[in-house]
Each structure stands twice: as structure tokens, then as C-alpha cells.
Amino acid sequence: MTRFFIDAQGRRHWGEHGAAGLLAYHVGDDAIRYLLQKRSLHTHGGGTWSIPGGALDAGESPVDGAFRETEEELGRLPAGLRYTGTVTTDFGGWQYHTVVFRSPEQFTALGNWEVASTAGSLPPA
């Protein structure tokens, strides 16, 4: 059972062991595309855009948790994703980990009840 964590400033966070999300991107000829999801109205933060992710299990690494949560929400990820790094933000004793992967190909995801839709693309820098 996932519980909330209250940080040093009194803010409530989902997941007593922290949380992680997976930011997947693909560099194409015409754009850099980022996989984003619009949260279902039935979830925390419903109606907002985010990366897929969620609460970490006890002892679970951010990479493993991000993959598990992403596959729960969006289905199977494509083969060949290459890890490029993790950005960790600490909220007074509670951490959120953004795990970044580059995809060798553009892909779309289906989504479950937690996801209203998926999209995202930015022009190359």
C-alpha cells in the first residue's frame, strides 16, 4: 500500500519511499520528441501533463521504479532505450527522480485508466 510522505516543509508527497518518472525522448530529422502523458481525471493531479511514473517500492531503484510505473501506465516500452542520466530533486527528505532515456525510434503509447492521452514534441535546439 502506497502512503503519503510529509516533507520538512509540511508538504504531502505520494509514496513513502520517494517516486520516479521516466522521460523518454527520440531525436529525429525534424524534431526532438518527448513522451508525455496527460493524467486521467481519476488520478492525483488529473488533467495535467507529466512524464509517466509513480511511487517507489521499498528498496526499489529509481530506474527500476520508473520502468515499472511507466509500463503499468503506458504498456511495453520499445527495445533499445539508452539510459542518459537521472535528475533527483529533494523535497526535504522526500525525493523525486527523473530517469532519462533516449529511444532509437519514435514510438507511441496506449495508456491505462491513469492516462487521458499521450503526446509531445519539440523542435531541435
Side-chain angles (χ1 to χ4, degrees), residues 46-91:
T48 62
W49 286 92
S50 70
I51 59 175
L56 293 172
D57 292 335
E60 185 174 41
S61 75
V63 171
D64 289 343
F67 259 92
R68 176 184 53 76
E69 284 286 340
T70 299
E71 288 194 332
E72 285 175 11
E73 294 172 16
L74 301 180
R76 201 107 174 105
L77 294 169
L81 291 179
R82 186 174 56 89
Y83 174 75
T84 61
T86 299
V87 176
T88 300
T89 305
D90 189 285
F91 294 88

Side-chain angles (χ1 to χ4, degrees), residues 93-110:
W94 185 88
Q95 295 181 329
Y96 186 86
H97 310 275
T98 302
V99 182
V100 184
F101 281 85
R102 183 174 179 164
S103 176
E105 60 189 22
Q106 185 175 335
F107 67 96
T108 57
L110 299 176

Side-chain angles (χ1 to χ4, degrees), residues 113-124:
W113 67 271
E114 295 178 274
V115 181
S117 64
T118 60
S121 132
L122 292 175

Side-chain angles (χ1 to χ4, degrees), residues 34-45:
Y34 297 88
L35 179 66
L36 300 174
Q37 68 176 8
K38 186 174 185 182
R39 293 179 175 123
S40 163
L41 295 178
H42 306 289
T43 65
H44 177 74

Side-chain angles (χ1 to χ4, degrees), residues 10-50:
R11 295 173 295 206
R12 190 169 82 159
H13 301 278
W14 184 250
E16 63 184 319
H17 305 289
L22 192 142
L23 176 59
Y25 71 97
H26 169 70
V27 179
D29 292 337
D30 63 340
I32 299 173
R33 300 186 187 281
Y34 297 88
L35 179 66
L36 300 174
Q37 68 176 8
K38 186 174 185 182
R39 293 179 175 123
S40 163
L41 295 178
H42 306 289
T43 65
H44 177 74
T48 62
W49 286 92
S50 70

